[in-house]
C-alpha cells in the first residue's frame, strides 16, 4: 500500500495507519507478538516479519479499513436461531430451509441418478461390441459399406437417445433441487465455539422444520439442562397451513468418545412455536398467539398457564423478574405481568402503532429496541408514571375501568427513537466491542451488513454531531439527488438519532467545504476530524 504505518506491541497488538483519507487505529486479530519489523519480497511485497512463541513468522495485512474480523463455519441449511449451553458453552444452532430436500434424500437421489447413467453406458458399449464383432466376420467392400451405414444410423439413434436422456436429466435435476412448496429440510447442530467445529448434528425427519430453541433448567428436576426446540410439520407459507407443531425436548449427553443429542419426549401443540425462553425455572413459549408456561413431565411437557389475548403471532420473548416482554409479529411489543398466586398473565402496557417485528433487544427494565421487516429501528419506553404499585394493581389493570380502548392495554409505551436503516434488521444485541468499553447496540441485516448504534454520553456531543449532520446534508447531497432527511424518514420521521455514516464523509469533502462547515461549528477541520476519531475509538 506504500503508506507509512505504526505498530504498537502490547498484550494486544495495534496497527495505526491512514486509509482513504482517514486515520485508523485497529487491533490485530493475531497472537501476542514480541518483536516486529517491515518485510518485503517478491512473494510478499507488503508484509511484517514477527517473533512470537519462539518462532519467526511472516504476516501480511489484509482488508485494511474493515472494523470486524470474521471466522466462518459452513452450515447445511439457513440458520434460524441459536442458544448457548451453560454447562459446556456449546452453541445450539437450528437450521431450516423451505423447498429443499434433506441431505440424506439428496444423496439417495444422486446415487440413483449415477446408477442410471452407469447402466446406460454399459448397455451402449455392449451393443457396440456386438455390432463390431458381427461386421468383422463379413468380408468385402459391401460389408464395409453396410457397417459404415449401420454406424451412422447408430450415431443418429444415440443422439436422439442422448437428447431424450438429457431432457429427463434436466427435469430430474429440477425436481431434485427445487421441490414443491411445503418440503422442508432442517437439523439441530451443536458447535464448539473455541475450535468452530461441529460436535454433533441431529437431522429432523417427517418434514419438520425448527424455528425456535431454548436451554431450560426445570425446577422440578435438578438433573441439568434441557434443550427445547419448537418445530412445525408440513408448513406452507402462503396460504399458511400446516399439520401441527411440536416442542421437542433433548438432553446433551457428553461421553468420553462423542457428544450427542438424546430425545427425551415430544409434545404436540396446535400451532408453530416461534419463541421460547426460561421463566421461573419453567419453559415460557409463544405458540401461535397463545402465551404458555410448560413444566417438565415424564412423557411430555405439562401446560401450567396460558393467555390468549395477543393479536396475531408471538415471535419474540424476553423476561426480567416477573415482567415478560412479548414481541408480536405485526403489533409491536406488549408488557405482561405474571401473578404466581393466581397463575395468570395480564397485559398492562402496549404500543400505539403497528410494528412488524423481526428482532428485539432489551435495553433496560423499561426500554426495548426492535427492528422490523421494512428496515426501521424503533426504541420504545414505558413512561415513569407507570409505577410498580400501578403495575401490581389487579383492579386498575384487569378491571372494567382499567382497560384501554378496543380491548388494548391500559398503559401505552412511548416511542423514543425512530430511524430507517435501509435493510431488514435480522438481529439486535447490546454488547461492548472492546474490554471495559461502553455498551453499544450491535445490529446485523438480512443482506449481511453489520453496524452499531452508539449512545451519546454528553449533551455537548449531541449538539455538535446534530449540527455537523445538518451541514453535511446541505453541502454533501447524495449522488442520486435524493434528500437525506426524507430517506432516513422513509416510514416514520427520524427521531433522536444521528446518521454516523453521513458524518464520516466529512473527511472526504474538499478542503474548502471542510473549512466552511468547521467555521459554522466554531472550530477547525482538524478538530472536527479529531472528534470523529474520538467517537470511533471510544467503542472500537
Amino acid at each position: 500500500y506504500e503508506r507509512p504505518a505504526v505498530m504498537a506491541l502490547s498484550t494486544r497488538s495495534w496497527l495505526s495507519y491512514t486509509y482513504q483519507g482517514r486515520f485508523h487505529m485497529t487491533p490485530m486479530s493475531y497472537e501476542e507478538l514480541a518483536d516486529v519489523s517491515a518485510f518485503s519480497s517478491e512473494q510478499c511485497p507488503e508484509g511484517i516479519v514477527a517473533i512470537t512463541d519462539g518462532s519467526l513468522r511472516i504476516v501480511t495485512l489484509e482488508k485494511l479499513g474493515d472494523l470486524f474480523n470474521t471466522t466462518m463455519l459452513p452450515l447445511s441449511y439457513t440458520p434460524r436461531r441459536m442458544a448457548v449451553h451453560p454447562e459446556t458453552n456449546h452453541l445450539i444452532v437450528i437450521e431450516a430451509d423451505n423447498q429443499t430436500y434433506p441431505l440424506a434424500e439428496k444423496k439417495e437421489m444422486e446415487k440413483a441418478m449415477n446408477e442410471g447413467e452407469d447402466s446406460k453406458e454399459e448397455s451402449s458399449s455392449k451393443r457396440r461390441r456386438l455390432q463390431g464383432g458381427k461386421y468383422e466376420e463379413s468380408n468385402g467392400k459391401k460389408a464395409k459399406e453396410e457397417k459404415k451405414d449401420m454406424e451412422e444410423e447408430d450415431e443418429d439413434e444415440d443422439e436422439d437417445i442422448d437428447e431424450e436422456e438429457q431432457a429427463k436429466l434436466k427435469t430430474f435435476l429440477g425436481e431434485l433441487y427445487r421441490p414443491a412448496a411445503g418440503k422442508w429440510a432442517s437439523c439441530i447442530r451443536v458447535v464448539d465455539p473455541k475450535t468452530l467445529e461441529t460436535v454433533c448434528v441431529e437431522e429432523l425427519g417427517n418434514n419438520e422444520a425448527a424455528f425456535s430453541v431454548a436451554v431450560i433448567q426445570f425446577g422440578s428436576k435438578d438433573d441439568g439442562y434441557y434443550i427445547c426446540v419448537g418445530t412445525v410439520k408440513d408448513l406452507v407459507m402462503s396460504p399458511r397451513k400446516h399439520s401441527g407443531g411440536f416442542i421437542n425436548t433433548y438432553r446433551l449427553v457428553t461421553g468420553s468418545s462423542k457428544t450427542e443429542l438424546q430425545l427425551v419426549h415430544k409434545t404436540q401443540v396446535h400451532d408453530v412455536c416461534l419463541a421460547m425462553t426460561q421463566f421461573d425455572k419453567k419453559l415460557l413459549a409463544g405458540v401461535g398467539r397463545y402465551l404458555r408456561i410448560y413444566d417438565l413431565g415424564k412423557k411430555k411437557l405439562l401446560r401450567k398457564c396460558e393467555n390468549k389475548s395477543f393479536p396475531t403471532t408471538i415471535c419474540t420473548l424476553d423476561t426480567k423478574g416477573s415482567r415478560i416482554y412479548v414481541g408480536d409479529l405485526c403489533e409491536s411489543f406488549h408488557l405482561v405481568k405474571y401473578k404466581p398466586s393466581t397463575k395468570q398473565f395480564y397485559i398492562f402496557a402496549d404500543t400505539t402503532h403497528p410494528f412488524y417485528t423481526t428482532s428485539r433487544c432489551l435495553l433496560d427494565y423499561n426500554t426495548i429496541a426492535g427492528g422490523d421487516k421494512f428496515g426501521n429501528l424503533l426504541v420504545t419506553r414505558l413512561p415513569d408514571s407507570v409505577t410498580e404499585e400501578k403495575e401490581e394493581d389487579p383492579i386498575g389493570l384487569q378491571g372494567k375501568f382499567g382497560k384501554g380502548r378496543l380491548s388494548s392495554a391500559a398503559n401505552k409505551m412511548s416511542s423514543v427513537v425512530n430511524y430507517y436503516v435501509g435493510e431488514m434488521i435480522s438481529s439486535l444485541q447490546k454488547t461492548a466491542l472492546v474490554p471495559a468499553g461502553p455498551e453499544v447496540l450491535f445490529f446485523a441485516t438480512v443482506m449481511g451488513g453489520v453496524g452499531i448504534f452508539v449512545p451519546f454520553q454528553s449533551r455537548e456531543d449531541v449538539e455538535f454531531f446534530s449540527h455537523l449532520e445538518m451541514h453535511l446534508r446541505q453541502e454533501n447531497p447524495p449522488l442520486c439527488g435524493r434528500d437525506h432527511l426524507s430517506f432516513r424518514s422513509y416510514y416514520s420521521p427520524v427521531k433522536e438519532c444521528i446518521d454516523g455514516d453521513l458524518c464520516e464523509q466529512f473527511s472526504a469533502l474538499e478542503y474548502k467545504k471542510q473549512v466552511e462547515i468547521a467555521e459554522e461549528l466554531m472550530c477547525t477541520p482538524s478538530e472536527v476530524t479529531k472528534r470523529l476519531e474520538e467517537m470511533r475509538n471510544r467503542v472500537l
Side-chain angles (χ1 to χ4, degrees):
Y1 297 97
E2 298 181 356
R3 290 188 178 182
V6 177
M7 178 174 289
L9 301 182
S10 63
T11 55
R12 188 179 187 185
S13 301
W14 291 75
L15 184 66
S16 174
Y17 60 95
T18 303
Y19 182 70
Q20 292 183 349
R22 300 178 185 175
F23 178 76
H24 294 265
M25 188 171 179
T26 309
M28 290 184 61
S29 179
Y30 202 67
E31 300 177 8
E32 183 179 345
L33 303 177
D35 196 5
V36 296
S37 178
F39 179 79
S40 178
S41 66
E42 294 181 358
Q43 295 81 9
C44 180
E46 296 284 342
I48 297 171
V49 58
I51 300 174
T52 175
D53 293 334
S55 61
L56 186 67
R57 302 186 184 185
I58 298 176
V59 184
T60 59
L61 303 176
E62 299 178 352
K63 299 180 180 179
L64 290 179
D66 289 358
L67 300 178
F68 300 102
N69 181 33
T70 60
T71 53
M72 294 183 293
L73 171 67
L75 303 178
S76 303
Y77 316 112
T78 303
R80 301 287 177 172
R81 293 285 188 275
M82 182 175 64
V84 181
H85 198 281
E87 290 181 343
T88 61
N89 290 328
H90 286 160
L91 301 178
I92 315 297
V93 183
I94 57 172
E95 309 168 23
D97 267 336
N98 191 15
Q99 292 187 313
T100 304
Y101 287 106
L103 293 179
E105 293 187 22
K106 278 186 180 180
K107 291 180 181 178
E108 292 178 0
M109 298 173 79
E110 290 175 356
K111 183 179 179 181
M113 182 177 63
N114 294 330
E115 289 177 354
E117 290 179 353
D118 295 340
S119 61
K120 176 197 164 185
E121 291 177 359
E122 290 176 1
S123 61
S124 178
S125 60
K126 184 178 181 181
R127 184 183 58 174
R128 291 177 183 275
R129 287 196 302 271
L130 292 174
Q131 290 176 352
K134 178 181 177 182
Y135 284 107
E136 283 175 2
E137 293 174 359
S138 60
N139 296 319
K141 186 176 181 180
K142 185 177 179 180
K144 292 181 180 180
E145 290 178 354
E146 290 179 357
K147 180 179 179 181
K148 185 177 180 181
D149 295 339
M150 287 294 292
E151 287 179 352
E152 291 178 354
E153 291 178 0
D154 290 341
E155 289 178 0
D156 295 338
E157 290 179 1
D158 290 341
E159 288 178 359
D160 296 337
I161 293 173
D162 290 341
E163 290 177 358
E164 293 176 1
E165 292 294 334
Q166 286 178 3
K168 290 181 181 178
L169 183 61
K170 288 180 181 179
T171 306
F172 180 75
L173 289 173
E175 294 176 354
L176 178 63
Y177 294 108
R178 287 182 294 178
K183 182 67 176 178
W184 289 84
S186 183
C187 70
I188 306 169
R189 185 184 301 269
V190 181
V191 180
D192 186 0
K194 295 181 180 179
T195 60
L196 209 64
E197 295 179 353
T198 300
V199 177
C200 66
V201 178
E202 179 75 17
E203 291 282 344
L204 297 179
N206 204 17
N207 200 24
E208 291 186 23
F211 284 97
S212 58
V213 61
V215 181
I216 310 296
Q217 185 178 24
F218 292 97
S220 57
K221 300 225 174 194
D222 295 333
D223 52 353
Y225 292 87
Y226 291 82
I227 301 171
C228 297
V229 180
T231 65
V232 62
K233 181 181 178 183
D234 301 331
L235 175 64
V236 178
M237 305 302 292
S238 180
R240 189 172 182 270
K241 60 180 180 180
H242 55 79
S243 301
F246 302 91
I247 300 178
N248 300 344
T249 306
Y250 296 91
R251 291 285 310 270
L252 187 62
V253 180
T254 304
S256 57
S257 59
K258 64 177 182 178
T259 302
E260 60 181 2
L261 288 171
Q262 179 183 1
L263 180 64
V264 179
H265 49 61
K266 198 170 187 177
T267 306
Q268 186 172 4
V269 292
H270 72 283
D271 205 345
V272 57
C273 180
L274 293 180
M276 56 175 61
T277 187
Q278 180 167 338
F279 178 71
D280 195 22
K281 290 194 175 182
K282 295 180 179 63
L283 173 64
L284 179 68
V287 183
R289 64 184 188 91
Y290 295 175
L291 182 64
R292 292 177 175 175
I293 288 182
Y294 287 96
D295 201 355
L296 185 66
K298 291 185 177 180
K299 295 184 177 180
K300 65 176 184 179
L301 295 174
L302 307 177
R303 186 171 60 191
K304 298 295 183 181
C305 176
E306 74 173 0
N307 186 297
K308 304 179 182 179
S309 302
F310 295 92
T312 56
T313 303
I314 298 173
C315 62
T316 64
L317 285 173
D318 290 289
T319 62
K320 202 165 189 179
S322 60
R323 183 184 288 183
I324 302 170
Y325 306 83
V326 180
D328 191 86
L329 200 62
C330 302
E331 296 294 335
S332 192
F333 301 103
H334 300 74
L335 299 189
V336 181
K337 197 73 176 181
Y338 176 65
K339 302 283 286 187
S341 58
T342 58
K343 293 185 178 180
Q344 288 183 347
F345 292 118
Y346 62 90
I347 304 172
F348 70 90
D350 59 7
T351 55
T352 56
H353 58 279
F355 189 76
Y356 294 82
T357 311
T358 58
S359 58
R360 89 287 175 218
C361 178
L362 190 62
L363 300 181
D364 57 38
Y365 192 65
N366 292 327
T367 311
I368 310 174
D372 72 348
K373 68 178 184 179
F374 300 112
N376 297 304
L377 174 79
L378 170 70
V379 178
T380 181
R381 179 175 295 164
L382 187 68
D384 296 334
S385 58
V386 183
T387 59
E388 288 291 334
E389 291 79 9
K390 198 171 183 180
E391 182 179 335
E392 293 287 348
D393 184 14
I395 299 176
L397 294 172
Q398 291 180 296
K400 180 178 179 181
F401 301 102
K403 290 185 177 180
R405 297 180 180 179
L406 300 177
S407 300
S408 63
N411 304 290
K412 298 296 178 184
M413 302 176 70
S414 59
S415 176
V416 180
V417 175
N418 287 318
Y419 187 78
Y420 178 67
V421 176
E423 299 176 12
M424 188 186 79
I425 300 175
S426 57
S427 178
L428 279 171
Q429 184 68 39
K430 186 176 70 170
T431 183
L433 298 180
V434 294
E439 289 186 331
V440 298
L441 187 61
F442 184 91
F443 71 91
T445 65
V446 71
M447 300 299 292
V450 294
I452 56 174
F453 289 96
V454 183
F456 286 108
Q457 298 180 351
S458 65
R459 190 66 188 175
E460 181 184 355
D461 290 340
V462 175
E463 293 177 355
F464 177 82
F465 285 100
S466 61
H467 284 86
L468 177 61
E469 182 190 33
M470 179 185 66
H471 289 296
L472 285 172
R473 284 173 181 167
Q474 300 172 358
E475 300 294 337
N476 189 28
L479 291 175
C480 298
R482 188 176 185 182
D483 183 61
H484 175 268
L485 184 61
S486 63
F487 171 72
R488 292 303 181 188
S489 306
Y490 195 82
Y491 283 90
S492 57
V494 62
K495 181 180 179 182
E496 300 296 337
C497 191
I498 297 172
D499 189 356
D501 292 333
L502 181 63
C503 295
E504 289 284 348
Q505 295 179 9
F506 177 82
S507 302
L509 293 177
E510 298 178 357
Y511 185 72
K512 183 179 179 181
K513 288 187 177 181
Q514 291 184 11
V515 173
E516 292 177 358
I517 295 175
E519 288 178 354
E520 294 291 336
L521 298 174
M522 294 184 293
C523 59
T524 61
S526 59
E527 292 177 352
V528 176
T529 306
K530 185 178 179 181
R531 293 287 291 269
L532 291 170
E533 292 172 359
E534 288 177 354
M535 178 61 67
R536 193 186 311 116
N537 296 331
R538 186 186 303 169
V539 296
L540 296 176

